[in-house]
């Protein structure tokens, strides 16, 4: 199993509802789908351990290749605008 270095975490903003919004950097947007998938999976495990309840992920259409890996990690579309899709995932298993 390939493990990413600790510095490979996504930048996030925490909200008042025990959730996080992922701010994808320019480097994140250029990741290959399989690397993004692994990084997202590891981040989700960490956020679950931290007791986070939900994750919001805004993917610009210029990085549409990241939508499928996000969906494979359990994200669903919340809404879309002409230049991005907002995806969400609730972390509690009973949500």
């Amino acid at each position: 199993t390939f493990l990413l270095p600790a510095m490979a975490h996504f930048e996030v903003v925490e909200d008042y509802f025990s959730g996080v919004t992922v701010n994808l950097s320019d480097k994140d947007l250029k990741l290959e789908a399989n690397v993004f998938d692994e990084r997202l999976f590891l981040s989700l495990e960490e956020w679950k351990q931290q007791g986070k309840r939900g994750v919001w992920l805004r993917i610009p259409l210029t990085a549409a290749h990241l939508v499928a890996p996000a969906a494979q990690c359990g994200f669903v579309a919340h809404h879309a605008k002409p230049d991005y899709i907002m995806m969400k995932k609730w972390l509690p298993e009973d949500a």
Side-chain angles (χ1 to χ4, degrees):
T1 303
F2 174 71
L3 295 178
L4 296 167
M7 66 180 173
H9 293 290
F10 292 111
E11 180 183 325
V12 298
V13 175
E14 296 187 21
D15 64 33
Y16 295 108
F17 305 104
S18 295
V20 296
T21 299
V22 178
N23 293 318
L24 296 173
S25 70
D26 289 341
K27 282 186 179 182
D28 296 332
L29 298 175
K30 295 175 185 171
L31 291 173
E32 292 182 22
N34 63 327
V35 176
F36 179 78
D37 179 61
E38 177 77 11
R39 192 167 163 195
L40 188 57
F41 176 82
L42 293 172
S43 295
L44 287 167
E45 291 302 310
E46 183 177 325
W47 295 324
K48 286 177 190 176
Q49 291 176 3
Q50 293 173 356
K52 300 303 178 196
R53 298 187 43 81
V55 180
W56 296 91
L57 180 61
R58 184 177 187 241
I59 301 177
L61 291 183
T62 57
H65 67 285
L66 302 179
V67 172
Q72 290 172 347
C73 285
F75 281 81
V76 296
H78 181 268
H79 68 271
K81 296 286 183 178
D83 59 340
Y84 72 88
I85 181 170
M86 180 66 79
M87 301 183 80
K88 66 173 176 140
K89 177 175 175 64
W90 300 123
L91 297 181
E93 297 300 320
D94 58 356

